[in-house]
Amino acid sequence: MERLIDKTCQDFTHALASKAPVPGGGGAAALAGALGTALCSMVANYTIGKKKYAAVEDDIRAVLEKAEALQTRLLELVDEDAAAFAPLSAAYAIPKDDPTRDTVLEEASLRACQAPREMVRLSCEAVKLLEEVLEKGSVMLLSDVGCGALLCGAAMRSAAMNVYVNTASLQDRQKAKNLDAEIDALLTVFGPRADRMAEDVSRRLRKER
């Protein structure tokens, strides 16, 4: 079976636009995070080997290694998010008078939280790496850092929506509150960091600092 991430950009976009249930918002969030992280890798690759940045080359190589791992995992999450949809859809289709419905739906909803939950966390990690390449990487790719920050910021917030939509249906309200609180805490810290980075890049590009 063809993986979503093996589709062409055009085919993936058409699938996203269609009536097909997957890919959806979760897959789009993961892809956005992977693209933002790829821009971090791009800046690192352009920086490595340049005399001007020899003093930070080891740091940049470490960033590149981490960014490539994040990118790979975020792409995997496109399909993992899609795989969680079928059991969730099947659970909702169980008749309401079936005594197994609540248990099956609870398990499926929890599973559906896991991929977007990880997307949020990984997008936050990508923001840290982008901050480092903004400080140490090639200034010729300043705009790419800004674009990466915007994409990762959008990815974490979009993925969060896909956690919230599933925690809303959990019977275990304490577990739902804990998951929501975990996501809220990450967004509170890293959403503004991504925004500030993009704003900083914009000011520098426009010669405002």
Side-chain angles (χ1 to χ4, degrees):
M1 186 176 185
E2 183 188 26
R3 298 182 305 169
L4 291 171
I5 58 169
D6 290 333
K7 290 181 177 292
T8 65
C9 292
Q10 184 177 59
D11 287 345
F12 185 93
T13 303
H14 286 168
L16 193 62
S18 74
K19 286 185 176 181
V22 293
L31 181 58
L35 293 174
T37 307
L39 285 169
C40 181
S41 295
M42 177 185 177
V43 178
N45 275 314
Y46 267 94
T47 303
I48 290 169
K50 301 289 177 64
K51 282 185 179 181
K52 181 178 179 180
Y53 302 101
V56 295
E57 178 150 334
D58 288 345
D59 293 344
I60 296 297
R61 286 188 181 278
V63 166
L64 179 59
E65 182 177 353
K66 292 174 186 175
E68 288 176 341
L70 289 178
Q71 179 188 325
T72 297
R73 183 63 189 138
L74 281 161
L75 287 174
E76 290 172 349
L77 287 168
V78 173
D79 283 283
E80 288 185 22
D81 182 74
F85 179 81
L88 182 61
S89 180
Y92 274 110
I94 297 172
K96 291 187 178 180
D97 59 356
D98 188 320
T100 68
R101 186 179 192 273
D102 286 349
T103 300
V104 174
L105 182 57
E106 187 82 351
E107 291 174 354
S109 296
L110 277 172
R111 180 186 174 193
C113 289
Q114 296 314 307
R117 177 188 184 190
E118 188 174 355
M119 292 172 206
V120 174
R121 184 180 63 79
L122 297 183
S123 296
C124 292
E125 289 299 313
V127 167
K128 295 180 189 177
L129 299 180
L130 283 159
E131 288 173 335
E132 189 164 357
V133 294
L134 177 60
E135 177 188 353
K136 301 174 182 177
S138 173
V139 296
M140 300 298 293
L141 287 92
L142 190 60
S143 63
D144 298 292
V145 178
C147 290
L150 289 168
L151 284 165
C152 288
M156 70 175 77
R157 291 173 174 123
S158 300
M161 295 290 183
N162 289 273
V163 175
Y164 300 146
V165 72
N166 290 300
T167 56
S169 64
L170 292 177
Q171 296 291 318
D172 187 336
R173 296 316 301 158
Q174 188 56 54
K175 187 168 288 186
K177 288 178 182 177
N178 291 343
L179 283 167
D180 285 350
E182 176 189 335
I183 299 304
D184 290 345
L186 288 168
L187 294 186
T188 297
V189 173
F190 288 96
R193 281 171 65 168
D195 292 343
R196 284 195 297 269
M197 194 173 1
E199 289 163 7
D200 180 33
V201 168
S202 180
R203 285 194 299 269
R204 289 163 67 175
L205 290 172
R206 294 165 64 93
K207 313 298 183 185
E208 293 176 7
R209 57 167 284 182

